[in-house]
Amino acid sequence: MYYEVAVSGTGRTICVRSEEPLNPGERIWIGWKGERTKCYVIGPSSQKDSFTVKERDGRSFLTEKHVEIAKWVSRRFGSPIGMVFDLFFPPGIDDYATEKVISQSPFLGFEEMPLSDFVKNKGEKVLEEMLKKGLVKVEKSFYIKEPKPRLKKRVFLKASIPELVRTPLTLKQKMVVEYLQFNSGVLLEDLMRDLEISKSVIESLQEKGIIEVLHQDVSPKKRSHRTTFKGELSDVNLFFGPAGSGKTEALLQLASEYSRRGTVLFLVPEVSILTHLLSRLKGLFPQMKVGIYHSYLSKSRKNLEWYRTVEGKIDVLLGTRSAVFVPIKNLSLIVVDEEHDESFYQYSPPSYDAVEVAREISRIFEVPLVMSSATPDLKTYMEAKEGKIKMFTFVRKHADVSIEIVDMRKEEKIGSFAKKTLDLMEETLKESRRVLVYVRRKGYWGRVQCETCGHVLKCEDCDVSLVFHLDSRSLKCHQCGREYRFKEECPVCGGKLSGKGFGTEKIERELQRYFPEKRVVRVDREVVEDVMEVEDYINRLISGEIDILVGTRMVTKSFDVPEIGLVCVLDVDSLIFLPDFSASLRAFQLIIQVFGRASRKGTGRAILQTHNPDEEVIIRAIEEDVEGFYERELERRKSLGYPPYKHLIHIALKSKDPNQGKKLLTRLRDFLDGEEVLGPAEHWMFKLKGFYRHHLVMKTDKVEETLSKVEKYSRVLGLDPLILVDPPSLEIPD
């Protein structure tokens, strides 16, 4: 029997021969190019080849439908099919593999036994003979031993809110406290597994009197949950409404309802959102078995969660982008929260859009898909308006948000702030409420420039301005990470250097000077290496340990902090005017998302400083006129032939020669005669990490057909370009 298989880590498919039937999606190993090589079974082949199967799993964790999805992702995004198949399995899964011999005859006297025991008792020759006769088969198992819960040990939150505020806690201890605020009375083993903490964290909290661990049979009571959604789902659905309108509550309710029919896949864009959502789910539905899947899990934990999901042992799988490929045994519902977020798009090979993949899985497995956003993806919005997607509109009921534009060309300024902004901050702080400040860049000065000749200091390896950091008195490249010692003289003319623009570090210093009695803290990639730490800063904001939180985009993600009384947006002008077809939409979504932090449970205020107050993006965002802005954006894109009216294929090359990339892409463009091509041209960030980058853009109605041409002619020319299909922006990854 002959089978077509995909070679792991490549775009290559080959034919193999096997004496035993192979399952669709099954992993096998062959001898290829002198090495033991992993492959995935696609299906029967009419071709004949010399490759033979050396080893196999003996079972497939994937079905024919998963194979169909892998083939679709490869065609739709031009991603190597072997790399796509790799996405279905967690890294290091074979470290947990055990082999067993399974009887295929009732007369052998056993059902299954470890392979090592069988060989020890009966010998390898007997095994080979039985395999040939079909009396037994060898199958791999990836079972990872789960801790056995001690049913009587439960953890309860003991300290009051004032005590919690006064007690210094570590990040892990604060995660436990937040979890118990939703789940007091949870099993100790569940808590330790969900948060990946050691017993020492529990013991420390016990010593501080924050928690107590009791031997108790009674399960925690289900918290009251207001019914928010009574609609009937269609195949594909959109929950559309502003922050604070009840979308998340409705999603949690649906997850509970559909978990009784099978496993629910619940996707979120960021890990920080996931951990908070986990606490809410377990608090509302204590008996629900919730799994988590994201890149920050330890290898053993990630493999355990994958195995539990595959075996149908969980009710809801909460995960980020990669979780969309976990082969769920009995899928009942797919939820994608914040579906517009560009974190769902993977730029590095194999590239894919997790939202599009979720839509295809929903279609193939015939389960409902629910997408949720205050600012949906344009394609989603357009299809909802056309009736192709069922839209449920949510309305904010309780929050009253006052939003103001500050024209920085006219207002009295104090440092980086308008006086009006500082006055509003002072008023908010007097009300014992918190302030959240969004700044687009990290660092102190956005760029350093000579006052005499105008020379701007740039990275030697990247075509970008260096950012001054006051803490280290150094110049850093935020693309490659290279660091330079700061000198006050211009390297060109010897003139005086001065800083332009501002970053989080400068804003933090200014606010500490303006409000010396208040606790001002910043959050950016300079102070936070692990995204999980963001949760700690949010907890400190809630508890009152932080009065003003200054941060980059990472503080704009979905979190519920009613204590925030004012949100300040300081720097969106540069984002609006990026040379990117999606710049206006991304800026609009960001502003709405940031303002959403001020619309939680009661009155909230927001202020936006800008030098371009008449820009439609800003005006529409201030008015929260999502539909008005989207209609205008759709008109613009239709006239220009951009997504969602046409597919966009972004092709990029990098080289050490500043001219080579353009020459090679020009040759590729010439081969693609008849296609609509823009470019090639230098990328707006031309030099990065020592490489020069050129790109071109194709617009097409037939994405798979056009991709096939691109791949064919790239091989003819010997090119290995980066190919991205319908990316959220025209940025090129490192």
Side-chain angles (χ1 to χ4, degrees):
M1 292 176 284
Y2 294 89
Y3 295 87
E4 182 187 16
V5 300
V7 181
S8 172
T10 75
R12 183 84 180 269
T13 60
I14 59 176
C15 181
V16 301
R17 183 178 67 254
S18 174
E19 294 181 1
E20 300 174 285
L22 300 178
N23 303 306
E26 183 179 355
R27 303 189 314 161
I28 63 170
W29 284 261
I30 63 171
W32 192 48
K33 295 184 178 181
E35 296 182 358
R36 176 179 177 270
T37 302
K38 180 169 60 184
C39 301
Y40 301 90
V41 177
I42 296 175
S45 174
S46 58
Q47 298 180 2
K48 295 185 179 180
D49 215 327
S50 59
F51 295 102
T52 56
V53 178
K54 303 291 185 183
E55 183 184 344
R56 57 180 293 202
D57 279 344
R59 61 174 290 192
S60 181
F61 292 96
L62 309 181
T63 65
E64 290 185 12
K65 290 182 177 181
H66 292 111
V67 174
E68 189 178 341
I69 290 162
K71 291 160 68 176
W72 178 85
V73 171
S74 181
R75 292 193 311 270
R76 174 67 173 75
F77 296 99
S79 294
I81 190 165
M83 296 179 73
V84 175
F85 270 110
D86 289 337
L87 295 171
F88 287 98
F89 296 86
I93 187 172
D94 291 306
D95 294 344
Y96 304 95
T98 58
E99 291 184 288
K100 56 187 178 182
V101 178
I102 301 175
S103 171
Q104 302 296 293
S105 169
F107 303 108
L108 293 182
F110 72 95
E111 290 185 5
E112 63 178 59
M113 70 170 64
L115 176 63
S116 57
D117 291 350
F118 187 96
V119 172
K120 182 179 179 181
N121 296 330
K122 301 182 183 297
E124 290 187 7
K125 288 186 178 181
V126 173
L127 176 62
E128 290 176 10
E129 290 175 3
M130 286 188 169
L131 284 171
K132 286 180 182 179
K133 294 177 181 179
L135 296 173
V136 298
K137 70 174 183 177
V138 175
E139 185 179 291
K140 282 188 181 177
S141 172
F142 298 96
Y143 180 71
I144 301 168
K145 188 175 181 181
E146 296 187 60
K148 293 181 179 179
R150 298 171 186 171
L151 297 176
K152 294 183 178 180
K153 225 169 192 181
R154 296 186 178 275
V155 187
F156 295 84
L157 191 60
K158 184 179 179 182
S160 63
I161 296 296
E163 290 173 318
L164 290 173
V165 172
R166 291 194 301 268
T167 308
L169 300 173
T170 66
L171 170 60
K172 291 286 188 182
Q173 290 171 348
K174 286 176 180 175
M175 287 172 63
V176 172
V177 169
E178 184 195 26
Y179 189 95
L180 291 177
Q181 285 175 334
F182 288 100
N183 303 283
S184 191
V186 72
L187 289 171
L188 173 61
E189 286 76 9
D190 283 355
L191 185 148
M192 293 175 64
R193 184 193 64 224
D194 286 347
L195 301 182
E196 280 204 293
I197 58 170
S198 64
K199 200 163 185 179
S200 62
V201 177
I202 300 297
E203 291 170 348
S204 297
L205 287 170
Q206 284 180 283
E207 290 173 6
K208 292 180 178 181
I210 302 297
I211 66 170
E212 57 183 350
V213 180
L214 304 175
H215 289 270
Q216 191 174 95
D217 286 323
V218 181
S219 298
K221 293 181 180 179
K222 177 178 177 178
R223 296 181 64 187
S224 60
H225 181 60
R226 179 169 52 90
T227 301
T228 58
F229 181 74
K230 295 181 179 179
E232 185 175 338
L233 294 184
S234 184
D235 295 338
V236 185
N237 309 269
L238 171 64
F239 282 13
F240 174 51
S245 60
K247 298 190 304 297
T248 302
E249 274 198 345
L251 294 177
L252 296 179
Q253 178 190 330
L254 280 172
S256 173
E257 291 175 3
Y258 275 82
S259 67
R260 292 191 281 270
R261 310 177 195 182
T263 300
V264 174
L265 174 61
F266 201 125
L267 298 176
V268 295
E270 300 283 355
V271 176
S272 56
I273 301 173
L274 186 150
T275 54
H276 183 71
L277 206 56
L278 172 67
S279 298
R280 291 185 66 179
L281 256 179
K282 295 294 285 284
L284 291 167
F285 311 106
Q287 305 305 326
M288 182 182 287
K289 290 173 282 189
V290 182
I292 56 175
Y293 196 85
H294 57 78
S295 57
Y296 288 90
L297 293 176
S298 63
K299 186 177 76 171
S300 60
R301 175 69 187 283
K302 195 168 187 179
N303 276 273
L304 173 60
E305 296 289 1
W306 180 88
Y307 179 82
R308 292 172 67 221
T309 306
V310 169
E311 293 297 308
K313 295 184 176 182
I314 65 167
D315 301 316
V316 176
L317 179 64
L318 271 178
T320 50
R321 181 177 64 222
S322 61
V324 75
F325 286 99
V326 176
I328 295 173
K329 187 173 184 178
N330 182 25
L331 186 65
S332 61
L333 173 71
I334 303 175
V335 173
V336 184
D337 198 12
E338 304 291 348
E339 65 89 35
H340 69 277
D341 198 294
E342 60 190 70
S343 297
F344 283 120
Y345 194 94
Q346 177 155 307
Y347 283 87
S348 58
S351 67
Y352 63 90
D353 184 333
V355 181
E356 287 297 308
V357 177
R359 290 182 69 162
E360 185 66 8
I361 292 173
S362 166
R363 184 187 69 81
I364 290 177
F365 281 87
E366 298 180 331
V367 299
L369 168 68
V370 180
M371 298 177 285
S372 177
S373 177
T375 54
D377 177 79
L378 266 180
K379 176 185 174 183
T380 305
Y381 175 84
M382 183 181 75
E383 291 184 345
K385 284 295 183 180
E386 292 175 348
K388 297 176 182 177
I389 293 175
K390 189 171 183 179
M391 182 161 70
F392 298 90
T393 302
F394 289 72
V395 179
R396 185 187 296 129
K397 297 177 181 178
H398 304 296
D400 179 19
V401 185
S402 170
I403 302 175
E404 184 175 358
I405 297 177
V406 175
D407 188 346
M408 295 298 283
R409 300 170 303 179
K410 301 175 181 178
E411 290 291 332
E412 178 185 349
K413 291 187 265 309
I414 303 176
S416 304
F417 293 88
K419 182 178 181 299
K420 181 184 291 186
T421 304
L422 293 175
D423 290 344
L424 198 53
M425 282 186 180
E426 185 174 13
E427 184 181 329
T428 302
L429 294 169
K430 283 181 179 178
E431 296 170 355
S432 299
R433 301 190 73 184
R434 324 284 189 261
V435 176
L436 180 69
V437 182
Y438 166 77
V439 184
R440 183 166 173 255
R441 300 181 182 90
K442 58 185 179 178
Y444 193 83
W445 290 323
R447 70 181 190 278
V448 177
Q449 191 169 9
C450 176
E451 294 181 356
T452 304
C453 70
H455 174 71
V456 176
L457 300 186
K458 291 188 175 184
C459 175
E460 294 175 9
D461 295 325
C462 307
D463 188 27
V464 294
S465 303
L466 292 169
V467 177
F468 176 68
H469 288 256
L470 185 63
D471 287 348
S472 57
R473 291 199 61 78
S474 64
L475 296 165
K476 292 183 182 180
C477 175
H478 287 172
Q479 299 302 317
C480 69
R482 187 167 179 178
E483 195 167 341
Y484 302 80
R485 189 163 61 88
F486 176 68
K487 297 179 181 179
E488 295 185 0
E489 300 83 20
C490 173
V492 175
C493 71
K496 183 181 178 183
L497 294 173
S498 62
K500 306 292 181 182
F502 55 82
T504 51
E505 194 177 329
K506 185 178 182 183
I507 295 302
E508 177 193 30
R509 294 293 184 102
E510 288 185 9
L511 289 173
Q512 286 171 342
R513 187 165 66 250
Y514 300 148
F515 303 105
E517 304 299 318
K518 299 300 179 180
R519 290 152 295 192
V520 182
V521 177
R522 69 181 162 98
V523 181
D524 57 37
R525 287 292 181 185
E526 292 294 313
V527 295
V528 174
E529 293 182 3
D530 186 340
V531 71
M532 298 287 285
E533 294 177 45
V534 177
E535 185 81 5
D536 179 41
Y537 287 91
I538 300 304
N539 288 338
R540 290 168 61 190
L541 192 69
I542 293 171
S543 66
E545 293 179 48
I546 296 174
D547 298 302
I548 304 175
L549 184 64
V550 180
T552 52
R553 193 178 187 115
M554 63 176 65
V555 302
T556 69
K557 302 298 182 180
S558 293
F559 56 80
D560 189 352
V561 185
E563 290 81 4
I564 293 177
L566 176 66
V567 170
C568 303
V569 180
L570 303 188
D571 183 23
V572 292
D573 291 354
S574 55
L575 183 61
I576 293 171
F577 298 110
L578 279 175
D580 193 316
F581 78 98
S582 64
S584 295
L585 176 63
R586 296 170 75 199
F588 179 83
Q589 290 172 331
L590 176 70
I591 296 170
I592 294 290
Q593 194 172 39
V594 177
F595 286 167
R597 303 311 109 219
S599 59
R600 302 285 173 168
K601 299 178 184 175
T603 58
R605 290 176 291 191
I607 195 164
L608 183 146
Q609 295 188 172
T610 178
H611 290 84
N612 301 277
D614 298 324
E615 277 297 313
E616 183 180 16
V617 174
I618 293 175
I619 294 171
R620 298 274 189 184
I622 294 295
E623 296 172 351
E624 289 192 281
D625 184 10
V626 177
E627 297 188 56
F629 176 80
Y630 274 39
E631 294 299 333
R632 287 293 300 274
E633 183 69 8
L634 284 170
E635 286 177 16
R636 184 181 74 88
R637 292 200 179 192
K638 187 174 184 178
S639 66
L640 296 172
Y642 278 113
Y645 295 99
K646 283 195 174 184
H647 292 288
L648 187 148
I649 302 176
H650 188 205
I651 303 172
L653 272 179
K654 63 181 183 180
S655 62
K656 286 290 186 179
D657 185 328
N659 300 310
Q660 185 183 19
K662 186 171 184 178
K663 291 177 182 177
L664 293 172
L665 286 179
T666 300
R667 292 180 65 191
L668 177 61
R669 181 197 63 193
D670 293 342
F671 271 95
L672 295 167
D673 186 40
E675 297 286 350
E676 187 177 358
V677 182
L678 305 177
E682 295 178 0
H683 191 261
W684 64 76
M685 195 178 292
F686 182 38
K687 189 180 181 184
L688 183 68
K689 297 185 179 180
F691 288 92
Y692 297 93
R693 291 129 47 99
H694 292 83
H695 65 150
L696 61 80
V697 173
M698 301 179 66
K699 300 175 185 178
T700 180
D701 295 315
K702 301 176 180 179
V703 64
E704 292 182 17
E705 183 180 309
T706 305
L707 269 176
S708 180
K709 286 185 185 179
V710 171
E711 291 166 352
K712 174 185 173 181
Y713 294 128
S714 294
R715 288 194 299 270
V716 169
L717 294 170
L719 305 182
D720 184 23
L722 173 70
I723 302 173
L724 300 171
V725 179
D726 293 332
S729 78
L730 295 182
E731 293 179 4
I732 301 175
D734 299 349

